[in-house]
Amino acid sequence: MLTFFKRLFGDKNERMLKEYWPIVEEINACVEPLETLSEEELRAKTDAFRQRIHEAVADIEARQQEINAQLKGAAPQTAQAGVAGDGQALDEERELSLAERQNLFDELDDLEEDWLDAVERTLAEILPEAFAVVKEACRRMLGRQWEAGGATITWDMVPYDVQLLGGIALHQGNIAEMKTGEGKTLVAVAPVYLNALVGRGVHLVTVNPYLAQRDAEWMGPVYEFLGLRVDVIDLYEPHTEGRRGAYRADITYGTNNEFGFDYLRDNSFVIDPDQLVQREHHYAIVDEVDSVLVDEARTPLIIAGAAPESNQNANYMKLKPGIEQLVRLQNRYITNVMKEVEEIIEPGVDALDGDGERELGFRLVQMKRGAPKNKQFIKLMSREGPLPKILHRVEGELMRDKLLHTCDEDLYFAIDEKSHMADLTEKGRDDLAKRVNLPLTLPDLSVAVKAIEDDEALDKQARVQKLDELHR
């Protein structure tokens, strides 16, 4: 049955090839008019392509800039309040509400989709001529020599039809499988050139630093002949200006690990956007895709850094004294609970009735949640006898009845050893807030809104502004 459908509709790979071959013929037809151009005229094609892309997205980018200006507070002022004595208009600026800002962000998302669609259509239109420009540039460089991979090479390559075919497949986001000797390194040149015209950068990912530098040195002169800048991230130390500059190049070569680690550093350690090394991701070609995305992907990239010094963290230093005081108060309370437990068990546990056992278990649960590492508590629970069973039984009953929180009401913080969590109780938050003079709980929104709405001293504009601040 599968063979029958293949005969009827054709293999997907065969259908794609039939779609690509007319484009290859169109590319070759575009080469002949380029042969009469001077090198300067051929190089000028790069600027002409860029201009066509810019014109296709000009309206979209203008609207994006307008929205960004509004979000940054640089929008045109909205309401004319009056005219000053010197004749200059005084405009009243209005701060955007939360809903208005959200609508603008949603519009930016839609505009980005429109921008990408417009670019994709334009690249499809100029693809034949752009590929032809690359082919003609390769022909003109025949016989030239330069250093690549530690050796002198003589350029002797002009893309064959099968390599143009592979380039079309790569541009459209497909995997191009090339046989040994078919020149897969040259295949990437045309789609890389085409997508670099957009101006958002192209990444070419390789499996090791030698290949990254060799391929950049080998193919770089072709790109530079056409007016593009090429760089290699592996030549620079992480988070340096050199590496940041490499990412700003039109075409950036590098290894999969370094691209990955730079992404992790940018998203783990960077606080200010100006410190980011990578720019937004646009287009990438992965060499040896089976190795990079299958074999090496089995090993996760892990990045770690030293924790910031406590004296550099203002919030930590501000909260530390208050937290230390809470710990002292809790330890003092647990000591008192221990005394109560010892008084309860002194006559003997067997003499306790049901209420007495529940009271004992309640105190033991408090000690477990308040100071599980307390030496007296550990020593108490290590004694032979029924205390551990009483603790676990009462704890289970409290959990079943959803009353475990009652054990925490007199504590300043509760510790859950199993989940490695420590949480301030309401009593602890109130005490800490007074000590550090900081609010540690969110306000009751309905109460706060009503207070603002009932404040007769506020005019309509001030009331709206305060409500926006409250919601933020």
Side-chain angles (χ1 to χ4, degrees):
M1 182 63 72
L2 182 60
T3 304
F4 169 75
F5 279 109
K6 279 189 175 181
R7 288 177 180 174
L8 185 62
F9 299 107
D11 182 81
K12 181 181 179 182
N13 187 57
E14 293 176 355
R15 293 198 303 272
M16 292 176 69
L17 291 177
K18 286 181 182 179
E19 179 186 338
Y20 293 164
W21 276 117
I23 303 176
V24 173
E25 293 173 359
E26 191 176 353
I27 293 169
N28 289 327
C30 291
V31 172
E32 187 174 348
L34 299 175
E35 294 175 354
T36 59
L37 300 179
S38 66
E39 288 192 0
E40 289 75 16
E41 291 171 330
L42 183 64
R43 192 174 292 112
K45 287 288 184 180
T46 297
D47 292 332
F49 293 144
R50 284 172 166 165
Q51 182 61 28
R52 285 183 62 179
I53 295 171
H54 173 70
E55 290 172 358
V57 297
D59 291 341
I60 299 173
E61 290 181 345
R63 178 55 184 158
Q64 288 175 324
Q65 291 173 2
E66 181 182 340
I67 292 175
N68 284 322
Q70 285 181 276
L71 291 171
K72 292 177 181 177
Q77 297 168 334
T78 55
Q80 187 172 353
V83 179
D86 58 0
Q88 293 180 338
L90 296 177
D91 291 336
E92 183 180 313
E93 292 189 11
R94 181 177 64 85
E95 185 180 355
L96 294 173
S97 70
L98 192 62
E100 289 173 327
R101 293 178 67 85
Q102 184 60 54
N103 289 337
L104 290 176
F105 280 120
D106 291 341
E107 186 178 351
L108 278 178
D109 291 338
D110 294 338
L111 287 170
E112 179 65 13
E113 292 294 329
D114 294 341
W115 188 93
L116 291 171
D117 290 341
V119 167
E120 187 175 351
R121 289 194 300 270
T122 308
L123 291 183
E125 293 171 2
I126 67 177
L127 184 150
E129 191 175 359
F131 274 44
V133 166
V134 171
K135 185 172 182 176
E136 175 62 16
C138 290
R139 186 190 67 79
R140 296 193 183 196
M141 298 186 71
L142 290 173
R144 299 189 187 185
Q145 294 183 332
W146 57 82
E147 295 291 323
T152 300
I153 64 113
T154 301
W155 184 260
D156 60 355
M157 294 188 293
V158 177
Y160 291 107
D161 288 352
V162 68
Q163 292 170 319
L164 296 174
L165 198 71
I168 297 170
L170 289 177
H171 167 68
Q172 296 190 356
N174 298 306
I175 295 175
E177 183 178 3
M178 310 293 293
K179 295 179 181 178
T180 302
E182 286 187 334
K184 65 183 179 67
T185 304
L186 185 60
V187 168
V189 173
V192 165
Y193 169 76
L194 176 64
N195 284 276
L197 296 170
V198 178
R200 290 194 177 185
V202 170
H203 295 167
L204 208 151
V205 187
T206 61
V207 292
N208 62 62
Y210 170 75
L211 286 178
Q213 185 170 354
R214 187 207 67 178
D215 290 354
E217 292 172 346
W218 194 5
M219 303 297 149
V222 178
Y223 299 124
E224 291 165 357
F225 178 85
L226 293 172
L228 301 180
R229 188 169 76 85
V230 182
D231 213 332
V232 185
I233 60 172
D234 296 72
L235 298 179
Y236 311 97
E237 291 297 317
H239 265 293
T240 60
E241 283 302 318
R243 181 162 291 199
R244 186 176 288 106
Y247 278 110
R248 294 325 184 256
D250 297 302
I251 301 160
T252 305
Y253 282 76
T255 56
N256 55 308
N257 283 343
E258 286 305 311
F259 279 119
F261 279 126
D262 282 337
Y263 177 83
L264 289 177
R265 293 185 191 101
D266 278 353
N267 288 274
S268 300
F269 302 142
V270 168
I271 299 175
D272 191 325
D274 292 337
Q275 298 172 339
L276 292 172
V277 172
Q278 292 186 347
R279 54 175 167 169
E280 58 185 331
H281 300 143
H282 172 61
Y283 179 83
I285 289 180
V286 182
D287 190 15
E288 304 287 354
V289 66
D290 54 341
S291 175
V292 171
L293 297 185
V294 178
D295 298 336
E296 294 198 24
R298 296 173 184 172
T299 304
L301 299 180
I302 300 173
I303 192 167
E309 293 292 331
S310 59
N311 60 3
Q312 296 176 353
N313 190 323
N315 289 332
Y316 175 88
M317 295 305 295
K318 191 167 186 177
L319 291 171
K320 183 181 177 183
I323 293 293
E324 289 175 339
Q325 181 62 21
L326 287 191
V327 172
R328 285 192 289 269
L329 291 172
Q330 180 118 316
N331 287 339
R332 191 180 306 158
Y333 177 77
I334 293 298
T335 300
N336 292 332
V337 174
M338 175 61 73
K339 292 178 181 178
E340 293 178 10
V341 169
E342 289 176 344
E343 290 175 359
I344 293 173
I345 64 175
E346 186 176 0
V349 178
D350 296 338
L352 295 174
D353 58 13
D355 290 340
E357 279 197 7
R358 279 190 291 274
E359 177 66 18
L360 173 61
F362 186 88
R363 296 302 180 190
L364 293 174
V365 174
Q366 274 194 316
M367 294 176 68
K368 177 184 176 183
R369 292 181 62 77
K373 299 299 184 184
N374 182 282
K375 293 181 180 178
Q376 289 179 291
F377 174 69
I378 293 174
K379 184 177 179 180
L380 182 67
M381 297 307 295
S382 63
R383 295 181 191 175
E384 292 185 4
L387 291 183
K389 291 182 180 180
I390 293 175
L391 184 152
H392 292 131
R393 185 177 73 250
V394 173
E395 185 178 32
E397 291 173 356
L398 290 169
M399 293 177 66
R400 179 196 64 201
D401 299 333
K402 298 182 179 179
L403 293 173
L404 190 59
H405 65 278
T406 59
C407 293
D408 301 339
E409 290 176 354
D410 293 324
L411 300 176
Y412 293 90
F413 54 89
I415 298 172
D416 186 345
E417 282 195 295
K418 184 178 293 185
S419 60
H420 304 286
M421 295 285 291
D423 189 26
L424 287 172
T425 63
E426 185 175 352
K427 181 179 179 180
R429 281 193 293 271
D430 291 342
D431 188 281
L432 182 61
K434 294 174 183 176
R435 294 180 185 279
V436 300
N437 195 27
L438 286 173
L440 300 179
T441 56
L442 289 173
D444 186 314
L445 193 59
S446 60
V447 174
V449 167
K450 190 174 186 309
I452 293 174
E453 291 178 343
D454 293 344
D455 190 345
E456 297 180 355
L458 298 175
D459 58 22
K460 183 177 179 180
Q461 184 177 355
R463 186 173 289 110
V464 170
Q465 183 176 355
K466 280 191 170 293
L467 287 172
D468 281 344
E469 291 173 356
L470 176 64
H471 282 282
R472 288 194 190 100

